[in-house]
Amino acid sequence: MDYYKAYFGALVVLCGGLLVSQPTRKQKLERRGDARNQGPRDEEHPEARWYKAYSLAVAADWLQGPYLFSLYKDEYNLDAGRVVSLYMTDVITTAISAYFIGILADKHGRKLCCMVYCVLYAMSCFLTIVPVTPLLFLGRILGGISSSILFTVFDSWMVTGFHNGKLDEEGCDLTRTYAATSVVSSLVAILSGILGEGLVWATGTKKSPFLVSVVLLWLALQTIWSSWAENFGGEVSSKRTDSATRSSVWSVLRTPSILALAFASTLFDGSMNLFLFYWMPALSSLHKSSGELPYGIIHSSFMAASMAAALAFNIIMDKRIVRYSRLLVGVLFAAVFGFVKLAAAKTETGAFWLFCLLEACRGMFAPGVGYLKANLIDDDARATVYSAMRTPFDVLVVVSLLVAKDNTNLDGVFTTCILMLTAASTAMWVASLRGMP
């Protein structure tokens, strides 16, 4: 399958070209005529502490992900029903815990909550390598709670830290931060995939990535503890009651722009979640030549496409070519196009590039939504609102799992994604017309 290696190489070259074209903090300061804050060349970037800790935290997640359920099935010889039950335990726990995690993070500190993530996820890894069924379920419960923290609280700490530190005055930009975070996530995913395969090959067991994840989580814990400043929700300074805080959160969630953003992101992420379930069988059904598809190279290509899109997003928004909401509308329409063409795909190569298009949509959508949430939601209850906005997606994942478990009708799945994305793009278009940034 040398052509897949060539495709991956082409995407890496594209990423390299976009990387050297990125706007920088120095350029922003020069445009503003502010030489005071440029600092010496060897001065650490103001957001370096964020990227270091986040890359370690997300690497621990990426490293073990591909091997979790194959470990259950291939090494522990669990039946399919038990494996599905473990997976459902994970996603249901994520859905249930999401809102409460946000409240606790705002009240007791987001830095503390991120440190708790490192501890809980490490415990989950240890429990996963013990082939005792009750401990495996406990490991999935801890994994679900950890997922809630990773995808809501880390982001909340970063945005509030950006505002509290007045990093905009130092030439930083939330657009660049979100784009760079997406790039870091994609790059870490590629490197984690390579490291994971090497570990399994060298040790002969799929338990080894989980043990290395524990090391990464320990390093992340040390980085967060030593370099992050704590930040809280508004109740710490204003001494609001819990009922007042809940009222404030729900008043934010009822805002039309927030509703539209939550609705669109839920349906988009739900469609991408289905895409993750079905890209392998879709490509396999079109694969005509002998030999197994190089799934590792293909997945790395998808991550490279996502990385290229995040880099392109940064360039587009730096030049102020289009508003954020309008760009997201375009991304959603591109995703609709991708699924429409996939439903009629006739060749393996065509399907591969359409899947790359969908990953590119993900790479551009994530920083766009992140930036809009950062600007539309106050720091006072940011983690709580973020968690509440993610809860519908977690519920949708549970429903998707129940539907996808025995569903082999690819056309029906792609049609469902088309309908979801059409509804999402309509909601974003209306919000854009009503003045969303």
Side-chain angles (χ1 to χ4, degrees), residues 342-387:
L342 273 172
K346 303 297 183 184
T347 66
E348 178 187 337
T349 300
F352 167 80
W353 285 111
L354 287 169
F355 283 130
C356 285
L357 170 64
L358 293 176
E359 274 294 348
C361 290
R362 185 204 293 266
M364 197 167 284
F365 191 83
V369 169
Y371 179 87
L372 287 174
K373 289 195 300 183
N375 281 271
L376 295 173
I377 299 170
D378 291 333
D379 290 330
D380 287 357
R382 184 174 298 280
T384 305
V385 175
Y386 279 19
S387 297

Side-chain angles (χ1 to χ4, degrees), residues 78-343:
L78 298 180
D79 60 82
R82 186 66 54 84
V83 172
V84 171
S85 296
L86 285 163
Y87 197 9
M88 292 296 292
T89 299
D90 190 313
V91 296
I92 290 173
T93 302
T94 302
I96 293 173
S97 65
Y99 179 69
F100 302 102
I101 289 295
I103 294 175
L104 291 172
D106 282 336
K107 186 173 184 178
H108 298 289
R110 293 148 186 171
K111 171 185 174 179
L112 175 62
C113 199
C114 292
M115 292 171 67
V116 170
Y117 160 84
C118 298
V119 175
L120 292 183
Y121 215 4
M123 293 172 61
S124 173
C125 291
F126 279 125
L127 291 170
T128 300
I129 63 175
V130 180
V132 177
T133 300
L135 296 182
L136 295 178
F137 276 99
L138 179 57
R140 287 305 87 224
I141 291 172
L142 296 179
I145 296 172
S146 301
S147 294
S148 291
I149 298 173
L150 179 62
F151 294 113
T152 56
V153 182
F154 275 78
D155 196 357
S156 301
W157 180 90
M158 182 271 289
V159 176
T160 302
F162 186 97
H163 293 155
N164 290 347
K166 299 180 180 179
L167 297 187
D168 182 66
E169 297 179 3
E170 298 187 42
C172 299
D173 189 301
L174 269 177
T175 300
R176 287 203 308 274
T177 303
Y178 272 109
T181 299
S182 293
V183 170
V184 166
S185 181
S186 298
L187 184 59
V188 166
I190 295 172
L191 296 177
S192 297
I194 296 171
L195 175 60
E197 288 189 9
L199 287 169
V200 172
W201 174 82
T203 62
T205 175
K206 294 174 183 175
K207 294 180 180 180
S208 53
F210 294 87
L211 294 174
V212 176
S213 290
V214 173
V215 176
L216 294 174
L217 289 164
W218 171 252
L219 294 173
L221 177 64
Q222 292 297 310
T223 303
I224 293 169
W225 178 77
S226 62
S227 64
W228 284 20
E230 185 62 278
N231 61 55
F232 301 87
E235 70 272 10
V236 171
S237 57
S238 63
K239 305 298 182 183
R240 288 195 242 176
T241 64
D242 288 343
S243 60
T245 300
R246 286 195 295 270
S247 176
S248 174
V249 169
W250 290 113
S251 66
V252 171
L253 291 172
R254 288 196 297 267
T255 305
S257 56
I258 298 298
L259 281 174
L261 194 60
F263 179 76
S265 59
T266 295
L267 295 182
F268 177 84
D269 291 338
S271 299
M272 294 300 107
N273 190 66
L274 287 173
F275 149 64
L276 291 177
F277 277 110
Y278 285 100
W279 73 263
M280 286 187 183
L283 280 180
S284 296
S285 66
L286 297 169
H287 184 56
K288 305 300 183 184
S289 58
S290 60
E292 186 179 359
L293 284 167
Y295 291 115
I297 294 293
I298 293 172
H299 181 262
S300 295
S301 298
F302 292 166
M303 292 298 98
S306 178
M307 189 189 311
L311 292 168
F313 168 85
N314 202 14
I315 295 172
I316 292 169
M317 300 319 301
D318 181 70
K319 297 182 180 299
R320 300 292 187 265
I321 297 173
V322 65
R323 282 161 42 199
Y324 291 88
S325 57
R326 292 290 174 87
L327 178 64
L328 293 186
V329 172
V331 169
L332 289 166
F333 277 125
V336 171
F337 171 81
F339 277 111
V340 168
K341 299 301 287 184
L342 273 172

